Amino acid sequence: MPAGNAIPYTGYFNASAECWSVFTEVAGREFSNAILFGQVHQLSVDAYAVQHAGGRHPDKSVDIHLAGLCLILDRGVAPTAVAPRLQALASAISDWPHLEPPAIAWRQTIFDVAVADDHIAAVREWSAGVWEAWSPQRDRVTALLRALD
Ligand SMILES: [Zn+2]
């Protein structure tokens, strides 16, 4: 990991050091640009997290980031309005189900975003593909979100 990184490596995403460093580079770009941040940062974090389920990555984290994708991509919630809802969800639920990740080869990853000319379009396309791949778990994610009703 590069020194001076703004995002501490929590160690629980199931990611290689190389992949994590690409993520921090992409996230750094978003942090330094208000438009990128507002439009897609939440999508980037959520898509990256659920693409790195497994290993030591807790079910709670996977579930919450899936809920983030559901709010933005299915329900049209503005990305900047998602974090407080996910915080509310985190305190409303105590029993987090294990949602089995899709057994597929990902078509796109954070590496595609890192090299894209149009950052916003790349994040939207990547995150939509990730959520689509997780669609067998959509009903269970929707069930979790009922805790916010
Ligand atoms: Zn990775």
Side-chain angles (χ1 to χ4, degrees):
M1 274 221 307
N5 207 309
I7 302 174
Y9 182 28
T10 60
Y12 66 61
F13 284 1
N14 190 24
S16 69
E18 183 198 9
C19 181
W20 179 262
S21 82
V22 173
F23 173 68
T24 59
E25 183 188 312
V26 166
R29 211 182 284 166
E30 294 169 352
F31 277 121
S32 63
N33 179 315
I35 294 171
L36 295 185
F37 186 85
Q39 300 275 314
V40 295
H41 181 63
Q42 185 71 43
L43 275 175
S44 295
V45 172
D46 291 337
Y48 188 80
V50 305
Q51 233 177 5
H52 294 87
R56 289 188 297 155
H57 195 164
D59 290 333
K60 177 177 182 177
S61 169
V62 174
D63 294 357
I64 285 176
H65 290 293
L66 285 170
L69 291 179
C70 183
L71 288 171
I72 298 169
L73 297 172
D74 283 2
R75 303 191 181 181
V77 174
T80 49
V82 165
R85 291 180 205 214
L86 296 185
Q87 278 156 19
L89 192 66
S91 24
I93 295 176
S94 51
D95 198 14
W96 298 93
H98 175 74
L99 303 181
E100 198 55 34
I104 54 144
W106 299 107
R107 275 181 295 122
Q108 289 176 306
T109 69
I110 194 75
F111 288 81
D112 297 288
V113 174
V115 299
D117 292 327
D118 186 338
H119 186 103
I120 290 175
V123 172
R124 285 186 177 148
E125 188 181 326
W126 162 56
S127 58
V130 170
W131 179 230
E132 178 61 31
W134 274 94
S135 60
Q137 303 292 354
R138 179 174 279 135
D139 289 350
R140 296 184 74 191
V141 175
T142 301
L144 289 172
L145 282 166
R146 276 189 212 114
L148 295 181
D149 291 347

